[in-house]
Amino acid sequence: MTKIEKAGKQAAGRVKTAAGRARSKAKALATNVAGKKAVEQAKKVATRVRARTKALATEVAGEVTGRKSKQKKKKMAAAVAGAAAVAAVAGVAMTRKRRRKRGWLR
């Protein structure tokens, strides 16, 4: 009888030990996963910060070297040229329309 009781107690002890080990292993795995997530987030933030810093540095360099004002002038010139081209095309179209109405092109 005592042998059976002892075997039962041992089995229960083994089950408890196994459960404890499984619990600690699960905690370790969860910690690893959480650590990986944190690392990924930190990498993303670092990349974002690096990109922003680079953009700001380029902007400041443009201000210092005068490149920014040159770029603004180029943009303005391109816009003026584009507007002139559009106006010319519109003018030609209006002229052709007017001529067609009057019957000059027949």
Side-chain angles (χ1 to χ4, degrees):
M1 189 74 173
T2 55
K3 207 172 191 181
I4 292 172
E5 276 181 31
K6 206 173 184 182
K9 281 182 183 175
Q10 281 179 344
R14 284 192 193 110
V15 168
K16 279 185 180 177
T17 307
R21 282 189 188 140
R23 220 176 288 122
S24 67
K25 186 72 174 168
K27 278 184 187 174
L29 287 172
T31 308
N32 275 350
V33 169
K36 283 180 184 172
K37 279 185 183 175
V39 167
E40 288 301 316
Q41 281 180 338
K43 279 183 183 175
K44 281 182 185 174
V45 170
T47 306
R48 221 176 287 134
V49 168
R50 218 177 296 123
R52 189 75 191 114
T53 307
K54 194 175 181 185
L56 285 171
T58 307
E59 208 171 297
V60 170
E63 285 282 350
V64 171
T65 57
R67 186 174 68 207
K68 200 170 185 181
S69 60
K70 288 176 195 168
Q71 283 177 340
K72 277 186 183 175
K73 285 177 188 171
K74 279 182 189 173
K75 278 185 185 176
M76 189 62 101
V80 168
V86 168
V89 170
V92 168
M94 287 303 293
T95 306
R96 292 188 70 195
K97 199 174 186 182
R98 205 177 314 118
R99 283 183 179 170
R100 244 185 268 124
K101 270 188 181 176
R102 292 183 183 160
W104 286 356
L105 292 176
R106 287 184 186 167

